[in-house]
Amino acid sequence: MFRALPGVRACVLAVLPLSGLAILELVREQTGTAGFFVGLGLAVLPVPPLMAAFRWLGRAAPRPWAQLLFCFGWGACTAALIAILANNFATEWITAATADASAADRLGSVAVAPVVEESAKAAALLLVFAFRRRQFTGPADGFVVAGFTATGFACTENVLYLGNAFGEDVRSGAAALDSVTAATFFVRIVVSPFAHPLFTVLTGLGFGAAALGGGRLRRIGSPLLGLLAAMGLHALWNSSSRFGEYGFYVVYGCVMVPVFGLLVWLAALIRRRRLRAVAGELAVYAAAGWLRPAEVPALVSMPARSLARALARSTGGRAAGRAVALYEADAAALGLLRHRARHGGPAEEPDFACRERELLRRMWLRRATAGPALARAAVLEELLPPRPVPCGPVAPPEPLEPPELLEPLKPPEPLEPVRVPLARRSGPWTPARSAGPTSIRPCVLPGGDGVR
């Protein structure tokens, strides 16, 4: 639907700078110039670690930085602006209707703010899901997109809270350690920097479940269910201070910390399974001659991939390192594409053959640079036994010719997953069974309705 509307993407991109200017002036007006800069300096401290954590989760099939920065900007600017305006309007309306400012503030923080804020952040996920559907492949992508969006939102909200606290301390003349700023910093930056990402990740998991396919009910219901869970957890967190003197500590220790631990475990599990899926599918392409056998274990080991980029940069400069990075990203995308098509059938990946050929073509153009670097990284990381060095003169290798590009692969039926060691210092890697002769045959995906 969104693809068919002309100018929608341009309008969405234009919203970011406009909302950024508006939220900048709005926060500065509420906190004062000095409070704004103090709040900004303190609020950015948890941003790099959070972004690095979510980036680590998505490294198996990295998303473009431009897309991640769009999500961060949407959370920091657009979602924050919507939340401030909507929350203020709702609080004023409730105050006018009930003539009780304290009750309006409580109701606004528990009932209004979670709905408004989580919906505003979920809009970024919906836009990415609508306009970049091919890159939204599962729960890991939902994790990453939601994490960057919520990190941006939390940064702006922390600027507002810390800036107001600093202004209050200046007016009261409080000491640094006994100040409201110190208490706010401890609660929001030290104790609960993961609060907003934790809420929005639930929405991201809903979109990730919808990306896996299924019926119309699953595609619509999963994101809504995730959004409702995010709103509920957010409301519980906001209401913790209303549960008595120790209500905050009870909610934090009994709910927030266990949920955080559960999501960390789930993130690691999703990442590990994603790498195993990529390993199993790339082994088939290696058997057909598209990849060197040594490349597969390197492509599913994050240390080996990083080492391969470093090796390429040391010999060929930044351009070579960039070529290896693109090769690794395309290889991961290829493995996930085949994995989805093999499990979902033609209905889930109707243009599988076209996209497979395009990814293989791009990889083949960079193979001369990326292949040796990945093979060397696999040996250095002890994912493969080192090859003996030949004695005497070595004849130059003959130039490689790509296999036929117009016909995709045919996997064995059923295709058994190949387990490739994912950690350093593992034993020798055993290559996958051959998928057939080196010539490529038409690919009949299980569940399909013919040759693709």
Side-chain angles (χ1 to χ4, degrees):
M1 178 180 68
F2 292 97
R3 300 174 188 272
L5 297 177
V8 171
R9 299 185 188 185
C11 293
V12 169
L13 294 177
V15 164
L16 277 183
L18 295 177
S19 59
L21 294 174
I23 194 67
L24 180 67
E25 178 58 25
L26 184 60
V27 173
R28 191 201 63 79
E29 181 182 350
Q30 293 191 20
T31 62
T33 303
F36 172 79
F37 284 107
V38 170
L40 181 63
L42 297 175
V44 298
L45 294 179
V47 171
L50 288 172
M51 294 177 68
F54 287 110
R55 181 67 173 172
W56 171 86
L57 174 60
R59 286 293 299 276
R63 305 185 71 83
W65 267 110
Q67 187 179 118
L68 297 179
L69 293 178
F70 164 81
C71 294
F72 181 87
W74 181 277
C77 301
T78 309
L81 180 63
I82 293 172
I84 290 177
L85 296 178
N87 289 338
N88 289 342
F89 173 79
T91 302
E92 293 175 1
W93 183 81
I94 295 172
T95 301
T98 62
D100 187 347
S102 60
D105 182 67
R106 289 194 301 270
L107 185 61
S109 65
V110 175
V112 177
V115 174
V116 171
E117 294 176 9
E118 295 308 320
S119 298
K121 289 182 285 183
L125 280 70
L126 178 61
L127 291 172
V128 174
F129 188 82
F131 292 132
R132 292 292 182 265
R133 178 64 182 84
R134 287 182 176 179
Q135 299 174 4
F136 213 117
T137 59
D141 298 299
F143 244 107
V144 175
V145 172
F148 271 78
T149 305
T151 300
F153 184 92
C155 180
T156 300
E157 190 178 70
N158 288 336
V159 172
L160 186 61
Y161 277 90
L162 290 166
N164 286 332
F166 177 79
E168 183 178 343
D169 290 333
V170 169
R171 289 189 296 270
S172 64
L177 294 180
D178 297 330
S179 63
V180 180
T181 304
T184 305
F185 178 84
F186 178 76
V187 172
R188 300 190 65 87
I189 306 300
V190 178
V191 175
S192 59
F194 56 84
H196 273 287
L198 187 65
F199 308 146
T200 313
V201 157
L202 299 177
T203 307
L205 290 176
F207 276 98
L212 294 177
R216 185 180 183 86
L217 180 61
R218 177 175 177 176
R219 292 178 182 274
I220 298 176
S222 296
L224 291 178
L225 185 61
L227 179 60
L228 290 175
M231 292 176 181
L233 188 61
H234 195 161
L236 179 63
W237 174 250
N238 284 1
S239 62
S240 60
S241 60
R242 321 288 182 187
F243 296 156
E245 183 179 358
Y246 301 103
F248 171 81
Y249 302 101
V250 171
V251 172
Y252 183 82
C254 297
V255 178
M256 297 294 288
V257 172
V259 172
F260 176 74
L262 177 63
L263 289 179
V264 169
W265 171 81
L266 182 61
L269 178 64
I270 290 173
R271 186 177 188 265
R272 186 162 56 249
R273 287 186 174 180
R274 206 177 205 196
L275 288 173
R276 286 176 178 172
V278 171
E281 304 299 341
L282 291 185
V284 179
Y285 290 98
W290 286 101
L291 303 172
R292 295 177 176 89
E295 294 179 37
V296 178
L299 285 169
V300 295
S301 168
M302 294 298 105
R305 283 167 61 164
S306 178
L307 179 59
R309 294 192 297 270
L311 292 173
R313 283 192 298 268
S314 66
T315 56
R318 295 181 61 184
R322 176 64 175 167
V324 174
L326 292 174
Y327 184 89
E328 293 169 349
D330 287 340
L334 179 65
L336 292 176
L337 171 68
R338 186 181 187 88
H339 185 73
R340 292 193 309 273
R342 197 162 54 81
H343 286 81
E348 295 299 329
E349 295 293 339
D351 56 347
F352 164 75
C354 179
R355 293 177 59 196
E356 181 190 47
R357 287 196 296 270
E358 175 60 22
L359 289 170
L360 287 172
R361 185 190 67 83
R362 297 204 310 240
M363 290 175 61
W364 191 265
L365 293 176
R366 301 185 180 100
R367 185 183 184 185
T369 301
L374 287 165
R376 179 61 178 163
V379 173
L380 293 177
E381 288 293 319
E382 298 183 8
L383 301 175
L384 287 173
R387 295 181 179 180
V389 179
C391 299
V394 179
E398 298 182 359
L400 293 174
E401 293 293 335
E404 295 182 20
L405 193 60
L406 295 180
E407 295 183 279
L409 303 170
K410 180 179 181 180
E413 296 186 20
L415 181 61
E416 298 179 358
V418 179
R419 296 187 177 273
V420 177
L422 303 180
R424 300 186 180 192
R425 307 295 184 262
S426 58
W429 175 71
T430 303
R433 290 188 308 168
S434 174
T438 56
S439 61
I440 298 178
R441 297 173 290 174
C443 176
V444 180
L445 294 172
D449 56 355
V451 177
R452 303 195 64 79

